[in-house]
Structures are given as C-alpha cells and as structure tokens.
Amino acid sequence: MSASGGTRAIVAALLANLSIAVAKFVAFLFSGSSSMLAESVHSVADSGNQGLLLLGGKRAQREATPQHPFGFGRERYIYAFLVSIVLFSVGGMFALYEGYEKIKHPHELEHWYWPVGVLIFAIIAEGFSFRTAIKESNPLRGKKSWKDFIRHAKAPELPVVLLEDLGALVGLVLALGGVGLALLTGNGVWDGIGTLCIGILLILIALILAAETKSLLLGEAAGVEVVQQIETAIVAGDTVTGIIHMRTLHLGPEELLVAAKIAVRHDGTATEIAAAINAAESRIREATPIARVIYLEPDIYSDSEAAKGPDPEATPGGPAAPPVDH
C-alpha cells in the first residue's frame, strides 16, 4: 500500500468525521432525535478509529529489536482490529440501545430543520471522504473488484476507511429516512427504527472488518502473483534447478518473509551453491521489493521423495505445493 495514499484517506476521513460529529450533536441537542444522537456517536467512534489507524501506522515504523527481530509491521493489523471492536461496541451497540429506547418512549421531533440540514451536510462531507478513499484505492485495486480488494488487501487502512465511509453514507441515508418519516407521520417511532437500522449496519460492518483483520493477524501468505514472481526469480539462475517447497508470510503490509528449500546441482561446490543462493536472494528482492526476510535452504532434488507428495514435513524432498490465493 502507498503509505502516503493511505494516510491521505485517513486524514480526510478524520477531518470529515470530526466536523460531522460536532454538527450532529448540536442537531441532537436542538431536536432530541435519537437518530442524530446515534449518528453523532457513530462519527465520534469513526474519528477515534482514524486516530487508531494513524497511531498503528506510526508504531509500525519502529526499528526491529532483539525481542522483536522481525519488526513491528503487524501493529497496523492490531490497530485495524481495534477499529472493528470500537465500531461494534461504541457505534453499533449504542445505536441499538438508543433505537430501542426511542421506540419504547417515542416523542415528537423539535426544530426538525436542524437534523435535516446537518444530515445533508454530513452526506456531502462523507461523500468527499469516500471519494478520497476510492481515489487512493484505485491504483492498488487495479482490475480487482471492490469485494476482492477488501478481502485480499494486505494493508488494512484503505479497506477500513472504505467500509467506514460506506457505512457512514448508508447510515446517514437511514437517519434521514427515519427523521423524515417521523416528521411526515408525527410518530417518533420511525426515528427509533432508523436508529436500530443504523446499529445493525454498523455491527455488520464491524464483523466484516474483524474477520478480515483476524486473517491478517494470524498471518497470510503472499498473493498468487507475488508467489509466481518469487518462484521465477529463484530459478532464473543456472545453479538452482527448481523449488522443492516454499512458504511466504506477511510480517506486515509491506514486509514479506520468504522461506524456501531449493534444488541445486549435485556436482556444485559449496562456493558455487553459496553464490547461487546470494544471487537468488538478490533476484527475489529485485522482483519483489517487499521481500525483506529471505531464507533459502539448498538440497538435492529426489524423484523418489517427490513421488510421495507435497507435504514438506513428510517428504522434505517433495515438490512445492501450488500457491493458493485466499
């Protein structure tokens, strides 16, 4: 992920949410709309989430230490997971509670022009933030669908901002609908129903974010295209005759660990094999700059071991398993 692109999207979302939160809370004070209160808390939660993403990006830049020899790149995943928790608890659960209370104890909206005006302003501001996130995501998304981009992105910031902004826009439309129906019918229950819908929406988005960031926290392999680039780079030399098996792991969005057992010529000297390994590492880094940690183990390829299957533990001389894009 372009760090500058992700930061621009986060800052745009933060500025939009702070201004919207203030406006929504003022509208709630004048109108008593539970939808506006839920939306103001939603915007405060989103502002805190953008702060968490910025903090995670900053902490991930720390240098590796003896206790953490692979660095702190995964801090970005941890803070993205915290975002899903905040969105679920502070945003979603609070909105469900407010919606229930408003349906149970409905009251007529006062000064209706405040919530309507603020919601229209908020839709414009959130639209600007959403447009910025889309613009920053498009170069990284390429030809992928938005669903695939969110599911397979190794950098969590842009998918988080995209989902938050989308949820905010849909939530604003729901709030506007709830307020509008409450004004048309004179029944405040509609305001409570709109608030409940906002809560359900936020919880669904939080669950999606939690599932995606959990996968990143557990450790994901490189994508199919990146694996193919690495495999091509390894066997490009004369001494390396093939890849017996290989594993990749993202230490962070822009840090990749590569570990492979490679087949070398049986008549190669130790000096020739060492030179071949160094050359292969250089080719990997040139083809895939995010490959920061590389371990290559030379071995002699065995047809009899290869025939046993791809399991590297049962058959250390077996072939590499084909890459799978999860």
Side-chain angles (χ1 to χ4, degrees), residues 238-322:
D238 296 330
T239 306
V240 180
T241 60
I243 300 172
I244 298 173
H245 61 78
M246 184 176 75
R247 297 290 182 269
T248 61
L249 178 68
H250 269 275
L251 302 173
E254 295 156 4
E255 298 172 277
L256 187 65
L257 181 148
V258 179
K261 178 172 283 192
I262 58 176
V264 297
R265 293 195 314 234
H266 68 280
D267 57 348
T269 65
T271 301
E272 291 172 337
I273 292 173
I277 291 174
N278 292 333
E281 290 180 353
S282 297
R283 292 193 299 270
I284 292 171
R285 290 192 170 94
E286 183 178 355
T288 311
I290 66 171
R292 306 286 177 84
V293 182
I294 303 173
Y295 298 112
L296 300 180
E297 177 186 354
D299 200 354
I300 306 299
Y301 185 80
S302 168
D303 288 332
S304 61
E305 292 296 325
K308 296 179 182 179
D311 186 353
E313 293 183 359
T315 58

Side-chain angles (χ1 to χ4, degrees), residues 111-159:
H111 306 291
W112 61 269
Y113 42 85
W114 275 100
V116 172
V118 167
L119 286 172
I120 293 173
F121 161 73
I123 288 174
I124 295 172
E126 284 290 359
F128 169 77
S129 174
F130 193 41
R131 178 179 175 274
T132 302
I134 290 174
K135 182 179 178 181
E136 298 298 337
S137 300
N138 274 329
L140 298 171
R141 182 173 68 94
K143 296 181 180 179
K144 293 180 182 177
S145 66
W146 285 108
K147 177 182 176 181
D148 287 341
F149 173 70
I150 290 173
R151 286 200 60 192
H152 302 301
K154 305 303 181 185
E157 290 86 355
L158 284 174

